[in-house]
Amino acid sequence: MEGRVFNSSSRIFSASALREKLTDLTTSPLRPVVALHASIDFVPTKIPRKRRLQTLAVAVWSTMLIICISLFLYLCSIPPLWPFIAVYLVWMSWIDKSPVYGTRLSPWFRSLKIWRYFAEYYPASLLKECDLPPDRPYVFGYHPHGIIGMGAIATFATEATGFSTAFPGIRPHLLTLTNNFDVPVYREILMALGISSVSKRSCSNILKRGPGEAIAIVVGGAAESLSARPGTADLTLRRRLGFIKVAIQHGADLVPVFSFGENDIYQQMPNEKGTTIYALQKRFQKMFGFTLPLFHGRGLMNYNLGLLPYRRRIVSVIGRPIRIRKCEKPSLEEVTRVQTKYIEELTRIWNTYKDEFAKTRKRELSIID
């Protein structure tokens, strides 16, 4: 086999060709980078200061859990603080029972300006249908869950939407997973907002204090978050009887709340029943009590890539109360009867306001489970 002969001219040609190729690489950006840059809708440089503060408030709350864990770990790296940290952990784990009593609500903390910026970001607002006299306890049922339940936080855990002005004399306690109160520092913030554990014991402790006490339960829970998509209202409600039974046992009026726009603030990846993703999410929920929807929103510096919610209006319509007669041991028939009235009132809210607040809906209200 003959070997190839390289003379001077061929070497010069090869060097020239290589130089041209390198020049093309330096002058022409890589196509994936160009495509990515073109697909991201970056925030303009000139944005009003108020809008920046609104975005910052939402970003702080969205990362509050990470911020609190990071702060605690940093404090743990300072040896002189170890005795104080040890005392705090003992007090938090075995002594402090505030998460199941709802006794640490701070009107001052709930009224801070940061929460007003938080609500104005979407914007989130409250629509009151009728007065609620503070001469009895209440159970608010919040729908839908959404990915995180930002509307529930704005309405029941802050004064940004004017809850106390709309319903004077009523002390709302938004309920969340008990595990959230195992995180140092974070738990103190939750309790200052009036947020309590969603355990049966917590519900009972708050409601039995009597007139004016109220709990707000995001009824659909983790299961419903897997169905949260823009333009839909698929509720997990049919088999949720616990909150109704609690209301009957304490003679607390039931108040349905439908939050238009809650499902619109995030996009969720496809996870229909029967898919591997859905199966893994349900298994995770069964093991840990909560699940992890695969979602995305916007970022701090762009409008379409990140984990912050989109700026889309949220209107929480607080409906008419369902009067409850107290019964410590209600029968299944009684619980089912009250649930039927509850679903009817929730459906009425949807039908009354859907053309005003859900103009872009893809389908009607549906109770899927």
mmCIF file of all heavy atoms in Angstrom, residues 41-82:
data_model
loop_
_atom_site.group_PDB
_atom_site.id
_atom_site.type_symbol
_atom_site.label_atom_id
_atom_site.label_comp_id
_atom_site.label_asym_id
_atom_site.label_seq_id
_atom_site.Cartn_x
_atom_site.Cartn_y
_atom_site.Cartn_z
ATOM 1 N N ASP A 41 -36.945 34.965 27.806
ATOM 2 C CA ASP A 41 -37.474 36.323 27.769
ATOM 3 C C ASP A 41 -36.928 37.085 28.978
ATOM 4 O O ASP A 41 -37.486 37.033 30.073
ATOM 5 C CB ASP A 41 -39.008 36.273 27.802
ATOM 6 C CG ASP A 41 -39.638 37.647 27.628
ATOM 7 O OD1 ASP A 41 -38.899 38.607 27.315
ATOM 8 O OD2 ASP A 41 -40.868 37.764 27.815
ATOM 9 N N PHE A 42 -35.815 37.788 28.770
ATOM 10 C CA PHE A 42 -35.150 38.461 29.875
ATOM 11 C C PHE A 42 -35.908 39.708 30.324
ATOM 12 O O PHE A 42 -36.601 40.360 29.542
ATOM 13 C CB PHE A 42 -33.717 38.837 29.484
ATOM 14 C CG PHE A 42 -32.784 37.659 29.454
ATOM 15 C CD1 PHE A 42 -32.481 37.038 28.245
ATOM 16 C CD2 PHE A 42 -32.229 37.158 30.617
ATOM 17 C CE1 PHE A 42 -31.628 35.947 28.212
ATOM 18 C CE2 PHE A 42 -31.376 36.070 30.600
ATOM 19 C CZ PHE A 42 -31.078 35.463 29.371
ATOM 20 N N VAL A 43 -35.753 40.036 31.593
ATOM 21 C CA VAL A 43 -36.391 41.219 32.175
ATOM 22 C C VAL A 43 -35.698 42.476 31.657
ATOM 23 O O VAL A 43 -34.466 42.524 31.593
ATOM 24 C CB VAL A 43 -36.285 41.157 33.719
ATOM 25 C CG1 VAL A 43 -36.807 42.440 34.351
ATOM 26 C CG2 VAL A 43 -37.037 39.953 34.252
ATOM 27 N N PRO A 44 -36.455 43.490 31.263
ATOM 28 C CA PRO A 44 -35.834 44.752 30.831
ATOM 29 C C PRO A 44 -35.019 45.377 31.965
ATOM 30 O O PRO A 44 -35.277 45.129 33.145
ATOM 31 C CB PRO A 44 -37.041 45.641 30.473
ATOM 32 C CG PRO A 44 -38.170 44.703 30.254
ATOM 33 C CD PRO A 44 -37.931 43.527 31.151
ATOM 34 N N THR A 45 -34.060 46.176 31.591
ATOM 35 C CA THR A 45 -33.217 46.810 32.615
ATOM 36 C C THR A 45 -33.972 47.884 33.396
ATOM 37 O O THR A 45 -33.678 48.129 34.563
ATOM 38 C CB THR A 45 -31.983 47.447 31.953
ATOM 39 O OG1 THR A 45 -32.414 48.347 30.912
ATOM 40 C CG2 THR A 45 -31.086 46.382 31.350
ATOM 41 N N LYS A 46 -34.924 48.521 32.756
ATOM 42 C CA LYS A 46 -35.685 49.575 33.425
ATOM 43 C C LYS A 46 -37.035 49.030 33.891
ATOM 44 O O LYS A 46 -37.985 48.934 33.125
ATOM 45 C CB LYS A 46 -35.884 50.768 32.487
ATOM 46 C CG LYS A 46 -34.592 51.506 32.157
ATOM 47 C CD LYS A 46 -34.855 52.739 31.305
ATOM 48 C CE LYS A 46 -33.554 53.488 31.002
ATOM 49 N NZ LYS A 46 -33.814 54.700 30.179
ATOM 50 N N ILE A 47 -37.071 48.654 35.165
ATOM 51 C CA ILE A 47 -38.280 48.131 35.798
ATOM 52 C C ILE A 47 -38.569 48.998 37.022
ATOM 53 O O ILE A 47 -37.653 49.320 37.789
ATOM 54 C CB ILE A 47 -38.087 46.661 36.228
ATOM 55 C CG1 ILE A 47 -37.961 45.757 35.005
ATOM 56 C CG2 ILE A 47 -39.241 46.179 37.103
ATOM 57 C CD1 ILE A 47 -39.247 45.600 34.221
ATOM 58 N N PRO A 48 -39.818 49.390 37.234
ATOM 59 C CA PRO A 48 -40.143 50.192 38.425
ATOM 60 C C PRO A 48 -39.684 49.514 39.711
ATOM 61 O O PRO A 48 -39.763 48.289 39.846
ATOM 62 C CB PRO A 48 -41.670 50.302 38.369
ATOM 63 C CG PRO A 48 -42.011 50.137 36.923
ATOM 64 C CD PRO A 48 -41.002 49.171 36.374
ATOM 65 N N ARG A 49 -39.222 50.312 40.637
ATOM 66 C CA ARG A 49 -38.686 49.785 41.894
ATOM 67 C C ARG A 49 -39.722 48.934 42.635
ATOM 68 O O ARG A 49 -39.386 47.910 43.229
ATOM 69 C CB ARG A 49 -38.244 50.955 42.775
ATOM 70 C CG ARG A 49 -37.689 50.549 44.139
ATOM 71 C CD ARG A 49 -37.141 51.765 44.869
ATOM 72 N NE ARG A 49 -36.694 51.427 46.204
ATOM 73 C CZ ARG A 49 -37.466 51.484 47.288
ATOM 74 N NH1 ARG A 49 -38.741 51.863 47.154
ATOM 75 N NH2 ARG A 49 -36.994 51.170 48.470
ATOM 76 N N LYS A 50 -40.984 49.346 42.588
ATOM 77 C CA LYS A 50 -42.028 48.612 43.296
ATOM 78 C C LYS A 50 -42.182 47.199 42.762
ATOM 79 O O LYS A 50 -42.351 46.248 43.531
ATOM 80 C CB LYS A 50 -43.353 49.358 43.181
ATOM 81 C CG LYS A 50 -44.461 48.761 44.026
ATOM 82 C CD LYS A 50 -45.721 49.611 43.964
ATOM 83 C CE LYS A 50 -46.815 49.035 44.855
ATOM 84 N NZ LYS A 50 -48.044 49.863 44.831
ATOM 85 N N ARG A 51 -42.097 47.045 41.434
ATOM 86 C CA ARG A 51 -42.204 45.706 40.855
ATOM 87 C C ARG A 51 -41.010 44.841 41.245
ATOM 88 O O ARG A 51 -41.147 43.630 41.463
ATOM 89 C CB ARG A 51 -42.320 45.796 39.330
ATOM 90 C CG ARG A 51 -43.679 46.295 38.867
ATOM 91 C CD ARG A 51 -43.751 46.364 37.351
ATOM 92 N NE ARG A 51 -43.661 45.064 36.718
ATOM 93 C CZ ARG A 51 -44.700 44.268 36.490
ATOM 94 N NH1 ARG A 51 -45.920 44.630 36.868
ATOM 95 N NH2 ARG A 51 -44.551 43.105 35.876
ATOM 96 N N ARG A 52 -39.842 45.435 41.337
ATOM 97 C CA ARG A 52 -38.664 44.681 41.774
ATOM 98 C C ARG A 52 -38.839 44.194 43.212
ATOM 99 O O ARG A 52 -38.471 43.070 43.557
ATOM 100 C CB ARG A 52 -37.410 45.536 41.636
ATOM 101 C CG ARG A 52 -37.002 45.835 40.197
ATOM 102 C CD ARG A 52 -35.636 46.470 40.128
ATOM 103 N NE ARG A 52 -35.264 46.835 38.782
ATOM 104 C CZ ARG A 52 -34.741 45.995 37.881
ATOM 105 N NH1 ARG A 52 -34.553 44.728 38.207
ATOM 106 N NH2 ARG A 52 -34.414 46.421 36.678
ATOM 107 N N LEU A 53 -39.396 45.052 44.055
ATOM 108 C CA LEU A 53 -39.626 44.676 45.450
ATOM 109 C C LEU A 53 -40.671 43.572 45.549
ATOM 110 O O LEU A 53 -40.571 42.682 46.401
ATOM 111 C CB LEU A 53 -40.061 45.898 46.260
ATOM 112 C CG LEU A 53 -38.984 46.963 46.492
ATOM 113 C CD1 LEU A 53 -39.587 48.184 47.178
ATOM 114 C CD2 LEU A 53 -37.841 46.396 47.333
ATOM 115 N N GLN A 54 -41.673 43.614 44.692
ATOM 116 C CA GLN A 54 -42.693 42.558 44.679
ATOM 117 C C GLN A 54 -42.064 41.217 44.311
ATOM 118 O O GLN A 54 -42.322 40.189 44.961
ATOM 119 C CB GLN A 54 -43.796 42.915 43.687
ATOM 120 C CG GLN A 54 -44.650 44.106 44.101
ATOM 121 C CD GLN A 54 -45.525 44.617 42.971
ATOM 122 O OE1 GLN A 54 -45.442 44.124 41.838
ATOM 123 N NE2 GLN A 54 -46.339 45.615 43.248
ATOM 124 N N THR A 55 -41.236 41.233 43.271
ATOM 125 C CA THR A 55 -40.562 39.995 42.851
ATOM 126 C C THR A 55 -39.632 39.488 43.944
ATOM 127 O O THR A 55 -39.559 38.285 44.203
ATOM 128 C CB THR A 55 -39.771 40.231 41.561
ATOM 129 O OG1 THR A 55 -40.637 40.754 40.548
ATOM 130 C CG2 THR A 55 -39.135 38.947 41.053
ATOM 131 N N LEU A 56 -38.922 40.421 44.601
ATOM 132 C CA LEU A 56 -38.009 40.036 45.675
ATOM 133 C C LEU A 56 -38.770 39.399 46.836
ATOM 134 O O LEU A 56 -38.322 38.403 47.413
ATOM 135 C CB LEU A 56 -37.238 41.256 46.161
ATOM 136 C CG LEU A 56 -36.229 41.013 47.293
ATOM 137 C CD1 LEU A 56 -35.157 40.034 46.837
ATOM 138 C CD2 LEU A 56 -35.596 42.330 47.744
ATOM 139 N N ALA A 57 -39.935 39.956 47.189
ATOM 140 C CA ALA A 57 -40.730 39.408 48.292
ATOM 141 C C ALA A 57 -41.158 37.975 47.994
ATOM 142 O O ALA A 57 -41.082 37.091 48.862
ATOM 143 C CB ALA A 57 -41.950 40.292 48.535
ATOM 144 N N VAL A 58 -41.596 37.724 46.767
ATOM 145 C CA VAL A 58 -42.010 36.371 46.381
ATOM 146 C C VAL A 58 -40.804 35.437 46.360
ATOM 147 O O VAL A 58 -40.893 34.269 46.774
ATOM 148 C CB VAL A 58 -42.711 36.393 45.008
ATOM 149 C CG1 VAL A 58 -42.982 34.984 44.507
ATOM 150 C CG2 VAL A 58 -44.021 37.163 45.101
ATOM 151 N N ALA A 59 -39.664 35.930 45.884
ATOM 152 C CA ALA A 59 -38.452 35.104 45.836
ATOM 153 C C ALA A 59 -37.994 34.730 47.246
ATOM 154 O O ALA A 59 -37.587 33.582 47.494
ATOM 155 C CB ALA A 59 -37.347 35.853 45.099
ATOM 156 N N VAL A 60 -38.078 35.675 48.173
ATOM 157 C CA VAL A 60 -37.676 35.399 49.556
ATOM 158 C C VAL A 60 -38.575 34.337 50.170
ATOM 159 O O VAL A 60 -38.095 33.384 50.795
ATOM 160 C CB VAL A 60 -37.708 36.699 50.396
ATOM 161 C CG1 VAL A 60 -37.573 36.380 51.878
ATOM 162 C CG2 VAL A 60 -36.597 37.639 49.970
ATOM 163 N N TRP A 61 -39.899 34.493 49.979
ATOM 164 C CA TRP A 61 -40.795 33.484 50.550
ATOM 165 C C TRP A 61 -40.605 32.126 49.885
ATOM 166 O O TRP A 61 -40.629 31.088 50.553
ATOM 167 C CB TRP A 61 -42.254 33.921 50.425
ATOM 168 C CG TRP A 61 -43.184 32.857 50.916
ATOM 169 C CD1 TRP A 61 -43.963 32.020 50.173
ATOM 170 C CD2 TRP A 61 -43.383 32.468 52.279
ATOM 171 N NE1 TRP A 61 -44.654 31.148 50.985
ATOM 172 C CE2 TRP A 61 -44.310 31.394 52.280
ATOM 173 C CE3 TRP A 61 -42.870 32.920 53.496
ATOM 174 C CZ2 TRP A 61 -44.733 30.783 53.462
ATOM 175 C CZ3 TRP A 61 -43.293 32.300 54.673
ATOM 176 C CH2 TRP A 61 -44.209 31.255 54.642
ATOM 177 N N SER A 62 -40.399 32.107 48.579
ATOM 178 C CA SER A 62 -40.244 30.841 47.853
ATOM 179 C C SER A 62 -39.005 30.077 48.297
ATOM 180 O O SER A 62 -38.953 28.848 48.173
ATOM 181 C CB SER A 62 -40.187 31.108 46.340
ATOM 182 O OG SER A 62 -41.380 31.715 45.890
ATOM 183 N N THR A 63 -38.008 30.794 48.774
ATOM 184 C CA THR A 63 -36.751 30.148 49.206
ATOM 185 C C THR A 63 -36.563 30.223 50.720
ATOM 186 O O THR A 63 -35.468 29.968 51.214
ATOM 187 C CB THR A 63 -35.545 30.816 48.511
ATOM 188 O OG1 THR A 63 -35.551 32.231 48.794
ATOM 189 C CG2 THR A 63 -35.604 30.623 47.007
ATOM 190 N N MET A 64 -37.618 30.578 51.453
ATOM 191 C CA MET A 64 -37.496 30.780 52.901
ATOM 192 C C MET A 64 -37.011 29.530 53.617
ATOM 193 O O MET A 64 -36.202 29.603 54.543
ATOM 194 C CB MET A 64 -38.844 31.227 53.474
ATOM 195 C CG MET A 64 -38.808 31.552 54.963
ATOM 196 S SD MET A 64 -37.688 32.940 55.337
ATOM 197 C CE MET A 64 -38.629 34.305 54.649
ATOM 198 N N LEU A 65 -37.501 28.363 53.196
ATOM 199 C CA LEU A 65 -37.071 27.124 53.833
ATOM 200 C C LEU A 65 -35.562 26.931 53.678
ATOM 201 O O LEU A 65 -34.861 26.599 54.650
ATOM 202 C CB LEU A 65 -37.822 25.942 53.223
ATOM 203 C CG LEU A 65 -37.506 24.558 53.788
ATOM 204 C CD1 LEU A 65 -37.868 24.488 55.263
ATOM 205 C CD2 LEU A 65 -38.257 23.478 53.014
ATOM 206 N N ILE A 66 -35.048 27.165 52.468
ATOM 207 C CA ILE A 66 -33.609 27.017 52.214
ATOM 208 C C ILE A 66 -32.826 28.063 52.989
ATOM 209 O O ILE A 66 -31.763 27.775 53.561
ATOM 210 C CB ILE A 66 -33.327 27.135 50.702
ATOM 211 C CG1 ILE A 66 -34.029 26.001 49.947
ATOM 212 C CG2 ILE A 66 -31.830 27.109 50.426
ATOM 213 C CD1 ILE A 66 -33.944 26.127 48.443
ATOM 214 N N ILE A 67 -33.347 29.290 53.028
ATOM 215 C CA ILE A 67 -32.676 30.372 53.761
ATOM 216 C C ILE A 67 -32.550 30.020 55.248
ATOM 217 O O ILE A 67 -31.488 30.186 55.861
ATOM 218 C CB ILE A 67 -33.439 31.703 53.587
ATOM 219 C CG1 ILE A 67 -33.325 32.191 52.144
ATOM 220 C CG2 ILE A 67 -32.910 32.764 54.548
ATOM 221 C CD1 ILE A 67 -34.207 33.397 51.836
ATOM 222 N N CYS A 68 -33.642 29.507 55.821
ATOM 223 C CA CYS A 68 -33.638 29.185 57.251
ATOM 224 C C CYS A 68 -32.701 28.030 57.569
ATOM 225 O O CYS A 68 -31.981 28.059 58.574
ATOM 226 C CB CYS A 68 -35.057 28.874 57.709
ATOM 227 S SG CYS A 68 -36.162 30.314 57.725
ATOM 228 N N ILE A 69 -32.681 27.009 56.725
ATOM 229 C CA ILE A 69 -31.774 25.880 56.940
ATOM 230 C C ILE A 69 -30.321 26.342 56.832
ATOM 231 O O ILE A 69 -29.471 25.970 57.658
ATOM 232 C CB ILE A 69 -32.068 24.752 55.936
ATOM 233 C CG1 ILE A 69 -33.442 24.129 56.211
ATOM 234 C CG2 ILE A 69 -30.979 23.681 55.995
ATOM 235 C CD1 ILE A 69 -33.868 23.104 55.189
ATOM 236 N N SER A 70 -30.040 27.172 55.825
ATOM 237 C CA SER A 70 -28.673 27.684 55.633
ATOM 238 C C SER A 70 -28.250 28.530 56.815
ATOM 239 O O SER A 70 -27.106 28.433 57.297
ATOM 240 C CB SER A 70 -28.595 28.495 54.342
ATOM 241 O OG SER A 70 -28.947 27.710 53.223
ATOM 242 N N LEU A 71 -29.147 29.383 57.315
ATOM 243 C CA LEU A 71 -28.834 30.228 58.462
ATOM 244 C C LEU A 71 -28.547 29.384 59.695
ATOM 245 O O LEU A 71 -27.587 29.641 60.433
ATOM 246 C CB LEU A 71 -30.001 31.178 58.731
ATOM 247 C CG LEU A 71 -29.890 32.052 59.994
ATOM 248 C CD1 LEU A 71 -28.677 32.957 59.910
ATOM 249 C CD2 LEU A 71 -31.169 32.862 60.209
ATOM 250 N N PHE A 72 -29.353 28.365 59.903
ATOM 251 C CA PHE A 72 -29.157 27.511 61.076
ATOM 252 C C PHE A 72 -27.821 26.768 60.995
ATOM 253 O O PHE A 72 -27.097 26.661 61.994
ATOM 254 C CB PHE A 72 -30.311 26.526 61.198
ATOM 255 C CG PHE A 72 -30.201 25.636 62.400
ATOM 256 C CD1 PHE A 72 -30.417 26.139 63.670
ATOM 257 C CD2 PHE A 72 -29.874 24.287 62.254
ATOM 258 C CE1 PHE A 72 -30.314 25.308 64.796
ATOM 259 C CE2 PHE A 72 -29.768 23.464 63.361
ATOM 260 C CZ PHE A 72 -29.984 23.977 64.629
ATOM 261 N N LEU A 73 -27.494 26.247 59.809
ATOM 262 C CA LEU A 73 -26.212 25.552 59.648
ATOM 263 C C LEU A 73 -25.037 26.499 59.862
ATOM 264 O O LEU A 73 -24.000 26.115 60.431
ATOM 265 C CB LEU A 73 -26.140 24.911 58.261
ATOM 266 C CG LEU A 73 -27.106 23.752 58.017
ATOM 267 C CD1 LEU A 73 -26.994 23.266 56.574
ATOM 268 C CD2 LEU A 73 -26.848 22.609 58.985
ATOM 269 N N TYR A 74 -25.193 27.741 59.413
ATOM 270 C CA TYR A 74 -24.128 28.730 59.641
ATOM 271 C C TYR A 74 -23.955 28.991 61.137
ATOM 272 O O TYR A 74 -22.820 29.057 61.646
ATOM 273 C CB TYR A 74 -24.465 30.029 58.917
ATOM 274 C CG TYR A 74 -23.550 31.175 59.282
ATOM 275 C CD1 TYR A 74 -22.230 31.222 58.814
ATOM 276 C CD2 TYR A 74 -23.987 32.203 60.124
ATOM 277 C CE1 TYR A 74 -21.386 32.254 59.160
ATOM 278 C CE2 TYR A 74 -23.149 33.241 60.468
ATOM 279 C CZ TYR A 74 -21.845 33.268 59.995
ATOM 280 O OH TYR A 74 -21.012 34.297 60.344
ATOM 281 N N LEU A 75 -25.058 29.132 61.856
ATOM 282 C CA LEU A 75 -24.978 29.364 63.298
ATOM 283 C C LEU A 75 -24.347 28.171 64.004
ATOM 284 O O LEU A 75 -23.619 28.334 64.995
ATOM 285 C CB LEU A 75 -26.375 29.640 63.862
ATOM 286 C CG LEU A 75 -27.044 30.941 63.387
ATOM 287 C CD1 LEU A 75 -28.460 31.042 63.939
ATOM 288 C CD2 LEU A 75 -26.232 32.163 63.790
ATOM 289 N N CYS A 76 -24.612 26.978 63.479
ATOM 290 C CA CYS A 76 -24.017 25.772 64.069
ATOM 291 C C CYS A 76 -22.504 25.717 63.871
ATOM 292 O O CYS A 76 -21.806 24.964 64.567
ATOM 293 C CB CYS A 76 -24.657 24.515 63.469
ATOM 294 S SG CYS A 76 -26.346 24.215 64.016
ATOM 295 N N SER A 77 -21.987 26.475 62.926
ATOM 296 C CA SER A 77 -20.541 26.494 62.677
ATOM 297 C C SER A 77 -19.804 27.418 63.646
ATOM 298 O O SER A 77 -18.574 27.516 63.583
ATOM 299 C CB SER A 77 -20.264 26.932 61.232
ATOM 300 O OG SER A 77 -20.590 28.304 61.049
ATOM 301 N N ILE A 78 -20.536 28.078 64.531
ATOM 302 C CA ILE A 78 -19.930 29.002 65.504
ATOM 303 C C ILE A 78 -19.936 28.329 66.870
ATOM 304 O O ILE A 78 -20.976 28.287 67.544
ATOM 305 C CB ILE A 78 -20.698 30.338 65.544
ATOM 306 C CG1 ILE A 78 -20.791 30.940 64.132
ATOM 307 C CG2 ILE A 78 -20.036 31.313 66.508
ATOM 308 C CD1 ILE A 78 -21.633 32.199 64.052
ATOM 309 N N PRO A 79 -18.819 27.778 67.339
ATOM 310 C CA PRO A 79 -18.773 27.008 68.600
ATOM 311 C C PRO A 79 -19.365 27.719 69.815
ATOM 312 O O PRO A 79 -20.053 27.063 70.613
ATOM 313 C CB PRO A 79 -17.269 26.716 68.774
ATOM 314 C CG PRO A 79 -16.742 26.685 67.378
ATOM 315 C CD PRO A 79 -17.519 27.753 66.645
ATOM 316 N N PRO A 80 -19.125 29.024 70.028
ATOM 317 C CA PRO A 80 -19.711 29.663 71.220
ATOM 318 C C PRO A 80 -21.238 29.594 71.270
ATOM 319 O O PRO A 80 -21.832 29.752 72.350
ATOM 320 C CB PRO A 80 -19.231 31.122 71.096
ATOM 321 C CG PRO A 80 -17.982 31.049 70.289
ATOM 322 C CD PRO A 80 -18.222 29.955 69.308
ATOM 323 N N LEU A 81 -21.889 29.369 70.119
ATOM 324 C CA LEU A 81 -23.357 29.321 70.083
ATOM 325 C C LEU A 81 -23.910 27.930 70.348
ATOM 326 O O LEU A 81 -25.129 27.769 70.495
ATOM 327 C CB LEU A 81 -23.864 29.813 68.721
ATOM 328 C CG LEU A 81 -23.594 31.277 68.359
ATOM 329 C CD1 LEU A 81 -24.174 31.583 66.975
ATOM 330 C CD2 LEU A 81 -24.202 32.213 69.395
ATOM 331 N N TRP A 82 -23.052 26.918 70.422
ATOM 332 C CA TRP A 82 -23.524 25.548 70.561
ATOM 333 C C TRP A 82 -24.409 25.320 71.792
ATOM 334 O O TRP A 82 -25.437 24.640 71.692
ATOM 335 C CB TRP A 82 -22.340 24.579 70.568
ATOM 336 C CG TRP A 82 -21.688 24.451 69.217
ATOM 337 C CD1 TRP A 82 -22.114 25.008 68.044
ATOM 338 C CD2 TRP A 82 -20.490 23.738 68.917
ATOM 339 N NE1 TRP A 82 -21.264 24.697 67.012
ATOM 340 C CE2 TRP A 82 -20.248 23.907 67.521
ATOM 341 C CE3 TRP A 82 -19.590 22.987 69.664
ATOM 342 C CZ2 TRP A 82 -19.155 23.342 66.885
ATOM 343 C CZ3 TRP A 82 -18.492 22.418 69.032
ATOM 344 C CH2 TRP A 82 -18.281 22.594 67.659
#
